[in-house]
Every structure is written in C-alpha cells, then in structure tokens.
Amino acid sequence: MLPELFLDTSSQTARIWEENRRGEILDLFQREVYGYTPTARPKLHHQVTRQEQISPTVQMERITLTVGLDGKEASFEILLYTPVQNHGKLPVVVMLNPFSRSEALDHARRDAQHMPYQEITAKGCAAVYALVDGLAKDDKDQYHKGIFELFPRENPHSWGVISAWAWGGSRVVDYLCSRDIFDYEQIAVAGFSRGGKAALWCAAQDQRVSMVWSVASGCTGAAVTRGKTGEHVADITTQFPHWFAERYKAYSGNEEALPVDQHLLLGLMAPRRLYVSSSSLDSWADPQSEFKSLTLAAEAYHLYGLEAVDAHCSFPPVGEQIIKGCTGYHLRGGEHACTKEDWELFLRFIHRHFK
Ligand code: GTR
C-alpha cells in the first residue's frame, strides 16, 4: 500500500495542502530519507574566474561560489552559458552535476550530452552547469570534507550527500537571484541519475525553483520505492551509505514501513512544473515505477485545478513524449544515460512553459 497524499480524506484542499500537509510530508522526507538540511544560511560569495565568448552565439563565465561560516569555507564551480544576443530577462536551466569534476568538465567540453548549451541558449535560455561535487565528493570516505566541515552529520537524521548537492542547487538559485539578467520566475533545475535525485530534492525544498527535470533518477529519485524492480533501499544504502540520512538504512528490506514514497516527493512540486524521463533498458532505475510515481503525483496538481499526467495516461512507447498540463514524461530508447534526444524532448517542455 502506498502512503496517501492526505491522511484525512475530508480535508483535501490546496490551502490545507500548503499550510499543513505539504510541510508534514517534507519533514518526513527529511527525517527518514534525505536527512535535515541545515537551516543556517552562510554568506555566499562569488568570483568570476574566466569569461569568454566560446562561439558566435554563446558567452561563458566560469564562477566559483563560496560559502563561509565560523571561519570555515566550502566552494564549488559553475559554468554559466548565456546567449550573446539577448533581449529581456533570461529563463535559466541549472544542471546539477555531482560526478567528479574532470568527468563533468570533460562532458562540458564535448558539448555535453549532459549540458548542450548551444541548443539551450538558442532557445533564449541561460544554462548553468553546477559542479556540486565541490561541496561533497561522491565518496564514502572523503565526502565529509567540504560543506560537511561547516555542517557535520551529527545524528541518524542529519543530512547526506544527496542533500548537500541539492543545497548547492539552492545556492546557485541565490546567485542567480542576485543578478538582474535572469527571470527569477523561470528557473529550472535538472539532474541525471544521482544528480536527478538531488534535483528533485532541491526543488521539493526550494519553491523558487519553478520547474524540475529528473533524468533516470530511479531509486529514491522519481521511482516509487514499493514494488519497484532493480535497485532497492538495501542496495542503495549499502553501496552509497553517505547519500542519505543514516536512518534510511532502517528501511532496507522493509520498504512497506516507510511513512512516505517517492510519488509524494513529486507531489511536493505542485503547482510548479515537473518533468520526468527514463531510459527503456534501465531496469535498475525502473521506468514503469518512475512513470507510476508521476501519475500518482497528479493528485497534488488536481488540488489546484491543474492538469497533469495522471492515471488516464498510459505508459508511452519508446520515443513518445506525453505532456499534460503542468507535467510531462518521456521514455527514451536505450541505456541509462542523458542524451541529446532527452534534451531535445525536455526543451520542448520548456518551450511550452517558459516564455
Ligand atoms: C547507480 C545507483 C543509482 C544511480 C546511478 C547513477 O550506481 O545505484 O541509484 O544513481 O548510480 O547515478 O548513475
């Protein structure tokens, strides 16, 4: 049995959702799954380390974002791509990239499957490639350097590395909101795989994010945990003990006891825009369970009288995109990856919703 959006069926309104239930669900995800995000707001500084026009149409800035608290600091880099010709405020797509720095930069150099800035800027948007592993390395023995020196893990409900990357996404939003070239109402956050988990968790907590895209985020990302194929809580917490609150391990082989499931995480996006995509051969992530989660999240959108991909939509064939109201989905043919085809389909969704 999946947990319900509301415990009390007689009180299902957008007001009660916003004032009450939404916060309860968010708290459960913090306490039991991702851990509590620190509430202190350290000072954020930025330094532009490089600025160049990298093509006839694209300007690139390399920026270091640094946070400081009690004499300690942690930094990460972002690559910001803007169209050379730009009229008016720019919508932005932020891609959280938690993979190792050289791998991430290599992707960027190859015109990145992970961040095709030419195509994004050609659509009149800015693109940000956020190298959030600067805050916390994806390594169970090394992760505690960086942001965890400012905010250590102290108890079984303390934050883990997925939360730290998500927190980095919010610091990127802070930075964007300090520059008047961006449209603060049109900020999308995206991520692939472990980055997709972080993107969803960032958007769930930070309502300045107006659109989220998770690519093949799978277990503890978009996919409902109960009944999914492939990766389970036991696998993910054993292989990546640093990703979540320590408490999450208690649900290994005991998923039914979780007070939440991932469709509720997707529901936390309502009434904002939500896009999920999967790869057809990715049984570890489980496309069917990602799609199911999205259709169940529709209930939160319906509270606002908004349309969303719901139980009336069937699981699409490979290559087909479904967009219904505020949410969308596609299933790309192939392996676990984030490809140009994924971006093309997502850019259609952006085009529909951003100016
Ligand atoms: C796998 C992990 C998945 C997914 C993936 C990735 O090893 O089990 O949950 O995050 O890595 O990030 O590529």
Side-chain angles (χ1 to χ4, degrees):
M1 275 275 286
L2 286 164
E4 300 283 347
L5 192 68
F6 282 97
L7 296 175
D8 175 357
T9 46
S10 64
S11 57
Q12 302 188 357
T13 65
R15 193 178 61 79
I16 294 173
W17 166 251
E18 282 186 6
E19 289 177 2
N20 193 335
R21 185 64 179 148
R22 189 181 189 285
E24 282 172 15
I25 293 176
L26 197 55
D27 188 66
L28 288 171
F29 274 110
Q30 302 215 61
R31 203 179 72 205
E32 305 299 317
V33 182
Y34 302 100
Y36 283 99
T37 303
T39 47
R41 277 292 189 89
K43 269 203 168 0
L44 179 74
H45 302 282
H46 77 271
Q47 190 188 5
V48 179
T49 54
R50 212 165 109 201
Q51 197 165 17
E52 62 179 306
Q53 190 169 332
I54 52 171
S55 82
T57 55
V58 183
Q59 173 82 21
M60 196 264 285
E61 286 171 64
R62 195 160 167 159
I63 301 160
T64 305
L65 297 182
T66 303
V67 288
L69 187 77
D70 301 335
K72 293 180 184 152
E73 285 192 338
S75 308
F76 65 108
E77 279 200 295
I78 62 173
L79 305 178
L80 166 64
Y81 303 92
T82 47
V84 171
Q85 298 276 352
N86 104 62
H87 315 280
K89 304 222 179 239
L90 293 165
V92 198
V93 185
V94 179
M95 183 78 177
L96 299 184
N97 193 313
F99 298 94
S100 79
R101 194 168 173 285
S102 55
E103 198 185 324
L105 288 173
D106 190 45
H107 279 305
R109 263 197 295 276
R110 277 190 271 133
D111 190 15
Q113 306 199 320
H114 284 199
M115 184 96 258
Y117 52 82
Q118 287 289 2
E119 286 82 350
I120 299 169
T121 51
K123 295 264 190 276
C125 297
V128 174
Y129 201 49
L131 309 179
V132 287
D133 81 312
L135 289 176
K137 278 212 183 332
D138 193 2
D139 180 325
K140 65 177 171 15
D141 303 316
Q142 301 262 343
Y143 77 87
H144 55 275
K145 296 178 188 147
I147 195 62
F148 287 93
E149 286 181 312
L150 281 68
F151 302 111
R153 296 213 309 170
E154 283 164 342
N155 64 57
H157 304 285
S158 295
W159 69 337
V161 165
I162 297 280
S163 280
W165 297 333
W167 189 87
S170 287
R171 302 297 66 81
V172 176
V173 176
D174 292 344
Y175 169 71
L176 296 173
C177 291
S178 73
R179 287 187 62 176
D180 61 8
I181 58 167
F182 300 114
D183 181 343
Y184 313 145
E185 306 285 306
Q186 304 197 93
I187 298 177
V189 173
F192 161 59
S193 204
R194 62 201 74 186
K197 302 180 213 292
L200 289 171
W201 184 228
C202 171
Q205 297 175 92
D206 190 337
Q207 296 197 61
R208 295 172 301 173
V209 175
S210 42
M211 182 186 287
V212 70
W213 174 31
S214 90
V215 188
S217 59
C219 182
T220 327
V224 278
T225 303
R226 286 166 175 79
K228 85 181 281 301
T229 64
E231 189 170 33
H232 293 108
V233 176
D235 304 301
I236 205 165
T237 55
T238 306
Q239 207 189 340
F240 307 103
H242 53 300
W243 278 6
F244 306 105
E246 235 182 273
R247 164 73 187 162
Y248 191 43
K249 282 194 191 104
Y251 298 100
S252 299
N254 188 23
E255 277 101 350
E256 285 299 322
L258 271 165
V260 285
D261 208 317
Q262 300 305 112
H263 63 300
L264 300 181
L265 180 75
L266 299 189
L268 293 175
M269 269 311 284
R272 297 164 293 150
R273 306 294 182 257
L274 165 64
Y275 194 80
V276 173
S277 68
S278 320
S279 320
S280 64
L281 301 177
D282 193 2
S283 55
W284 190 240
D286 188 0
Q288 297 266 2
S289 292
E290 294 191 308
F291 183 72
K292 178 175 175 185
S293 191
L294 180 67
T295 61
L296 291 169
E299 199 183 339
Y301 287 85
H302 294 161
L303 293 171
Y304 293 87
L306 295 168
E307 290 219 22
V309 174
D310 58 17
H312 300 291
C313 306
S314 19
F315 188 62
V318 166
E320 195 174 295
Q321 180 174 44
I322 306 177
I323 298 179
K324 188 170 176 189
C326 298
T327 73
Y329 179 83
H330 75 253
L331 176 68
R332 179 189 37 76
E335 302 286 348
H336 183 71
C338 177
T339 69
K340 278 228 151 119
E341 188 185 335
D342 289 311
W343 274 99
E344 270 162 32
L345 292 167
F346 175 60
L347 287 174
R348 272 196 224 159
F349 183 74
I350 288 214
H351 187 67
R352 168 94 64 117
H353 291 290
F354 282 0
K355 67 169 188 213

